[in-house]
Amino acid sequence: MRVLVFDPFHGASGDMITAALLDCGADRERVACAMRAVVAEPTVETVTRAGIQAVKVHTRATPAHRSLDDVYKRLDDAAPHVPPEALAMAHRVFSRINAAEEEVHGARVHFHEVGADDAIADVIGACTALATLRVSGVAVLPLALGSGTATGSHGTFPIPAPATVAILKGSGLVTMQGNDEGELCTPTGAALLAEFSSVEAADLGGYTIQAVGYGAGSRDTPHSPNVLRAMVVETTGTPGELPQDTVDILETNVDDASGEVIGEALARFMAAGARDASAMPVIMKKGRPGYLVTVITFPEISAGLARLMARELGTLGVRRIPVVHRFVAERTITDVEVEIAGHKKNLPVKCGWMDGRIYTLKAEFDTARDWAVELDLPVRDVLRAIEDAAWNQVRNHQKSTGPGDR
């Protein structure tokens, strides 16, 4: 399984995360395009921090104080330039920050430092960069927080900042003080890592490193490199064994919502972090037709999703089936060259592996749809062409390498 591993031994911030992902091989043009929707052309340069070459991202945006609705509007205005999955993730990142700010300062807070355009651009840039790396999961090694005090819009505060602590509470991320004073982990950095994390670092097992990137912070401390390290790795699981994780299953019956309402609710559940969401027609008591709505989610966010289900569907109760073990096939994403009517293009395909062999594959819908629009062809025809080309590539590879080889 292709996994992104963050090593925040000197903390993390939004710009450091974006820079580290760019140094790992994220698509620079797509990231720059996404960030340009919020700020002027970002500058990406190579700098040195305590002898380590790293990437530094500059946005040069002006300060601003905004409410959560203001931030959401900035995100939505950038939607034409941001991948949909990255935009949904950016919304969730700021929801985490807002919940933390409200916990610390009370309801209806205004974002200060984290509401500025540079923070919004960093979040959009980091989420877009992650989407372009095409990894199956993200693991976060122990996160350095720093120590001492700092001064911000709310006055002098202890480090780690109260909002940072609130964001990390319940995230499952392992933290440490670190070797340097000052704020090593910002609220934006904490929210991004908490949102990205999907694989326990202890469960990675063995892996091979495919790419390494370093994102630079602003300070250059001579005794300790002010950088965030990120690595793209390929895990080396035992053939025949499927990795597993634990999820919660949430269910509710609904008999007074239209299909349009159900469809919109499912989309909102996915945007809020659900791993899957579905609705099945059922016959309820007294012969009434309705839907069984099912949401699969990680346990740490199941309570919030249950509240969202109640709000969106108007249901009075949500059943929770806790800590269900599920087997997860190893997944990789590979580019396949496809030719349609004389037009060639490299397009991504998601592959499922079992016992060292690909047993299923599926074209990524968004890129297939975009090419179908460009070629003025039905999407189903483009999807079929991509998957046919992918299977041909798999068969040719297996003939040349032998069964089970990768």
Side-chain angles (χ1 to χ4, degrees):
M1 184 167 63
R2 182 176 160 92
V3 177
L4 174 68
V5 180
F6 283 107
D7 183 10
F9 63 89
H10 203 276
S13 61
D15 60 327
M16 291 171 73
I17 293 172
T18 304
L21 296 182
L22 289 174
D23 204 23
C24 265
D27 189 323
R28 291 201 175 199
E29 180 49 42
R30 293 190 70 182
V31 172
C33 179
M35 296 180 74
R36 280 198 300 267
V38 179
V39 296
E41 183 74 34
T43 300
V44 179
E45 63 173 335
T46 300
V47 299
T48 301
R49 295 289 184 262
I52 293 179
Q53 283 195 341
V55 169
K56 184 76 177 77
V57 176
H58 302 275
T59 58
R60 298 182 301 278
T62 56
H65 295 178
R66 293 191 176 92
S67 67
L68 181 63
D69 289 340
D70 295 333
V71 172
Y72 280 168
K73 185 177 187 307
R74 293 290 284 159
L75 294 175
D76 292 337
D77 288 345
H81 309 282
V82 182
E85 65 272 26
L87 187 65
M89 190 175 291
H91 274 82
R92 296 196 297 270
V93 168
F94 278 104
S95 292
R96 289 176 182 268
I97 296 174
N98 184 71
E101 293 281 357
E102 288 188 345
E103 179 178 326
V104 174
H105 303 294
R108 302 189 65 81
V109 298
H110 272 69
F111 292 140
H112 296 276
E113 289 88 350
V114 295
D117 283 345
D118 59 345
I120 298 173
D122 286 337
V123 170
I124 286 180
C127 293
T128 301
L130 178 62
T132 67
L133 278 177
R134 297 173 186 167
V135 294
S136 299
V138 177
V140 181
L141 301 182
L143 169 62
L145 302 179
S147 61
T149 60
T151 302
S153 56
H154 293 288
T156 300
F157 56 86
I159 294 172
T164 300
V165 173
I167 290 167
L168 293 172
K169 182 184 67 176
S171 69
L173 296 184
V174 177
T175 63
M176 59 183 180
Q177 179 174 303
N179 297 323
D180 290 270
E181 288 193 355
E183 187 178 33
L184 302 184
C185 180
T186 67
T188 303
L192 282 166
L193 293 181
E195 176 61 33
F196 288 174
S197 177
S198 61
V199 177
E200 293 287 344
D203 295 337
L204 281 176
Y207 55 78
T208 59
I209 300 173
Q210 297 183 329
V212 180
Y214 292 91
S218 298
R219 293 175 295 171
D220 186 9
T221 52
H223 57 283
S224 178
N226 183 20
V227 297
L228 168 66
R229 177 162 58 190
M231 299 177 288
V232 177
V233 308
E234 186 77 26
T235 59
T236 55
T238 303
E241 291 186 357
L242 286 175
Q244 59 175 302
D245 61 9
T246 56
V247 294
D248 285 358
I249 299 176
L250 307 176
E251 292 182 344
T252 189
N253 291 2
V254 181
D255 64 357
D256 57 354
S258 67
E260 292 88 349
V261 169
I262 296 288
E264 174 62 20
L266 297 181
R268 294 192 179 191
F269 301 154
M270 294 300 294
R275 308 311 297 167
D276 199 4
S278 61
M280 179 186 302
V282 294
I283 299 298
M284 299 172 57
K285 62 183 180 182
K286 299 182 181 179
R288 294 198 298 266
Y291 293 94
L292 170 64
V293 179
T294 303
V295 173
I296 298 175
T297 175
F298 289 128
E300 56 266 25
I301 61 171
S302 65
L305 274 168
R307 293 171 62 89
L308 183 61
M309 291 173 70
R311 190 188 75 186
E312 293 295 328
L313 300 172
T315 183
L316 297 178
V318 176
R319 296 180 294 278
R320 173 176 174 257
I321 305 171
V323 192
V324 176
H325 290 267
R326 64 169 183 170
F327 288 101
V328 185
E330 182 181 351
R331 286 161 284 182
T332 59
I333 296 179
T334 186
D335 282 341
V336 175
E337 184 178 72
V338 187
E339 181 174 357
I340 300 178
H343 300 275
K344 291 185 178 181
K345 200 176 188 71
N346 287 322
L347 294 169
V349 174
K350 182 179 291 183
C351 304
W353 292 81
M354 189 182 300
D355 299 332
R357 298 175 66 89
I358 293 175
Y359 75 96
T360 185
L361 55 79
K362 185 177 182 181
E364 293 285 2
F365 181 81
D366 289 345
T367 52
R369 176 200 57 208
D370 293 345
W371 200 31
V373 171
E374 182 182 327
L375 297 177
D376 193 24
L377 291 173
V379 178
R380 64 178 183 276
D381 292 349
V382 175
L383 288 168
R384 187 183 306 114
I386 297 171
E387 291 170 3
D388 287 346
W391 278 120
N392 286 335
Q393 181 171 300
V394 169
R395 295 186 189 100
N396 292 336
H397 176 73
Q398 290 175 345
K399 285 179 182 178
S400 62
T401 60
D405 289 342
R406 293 180 57 182

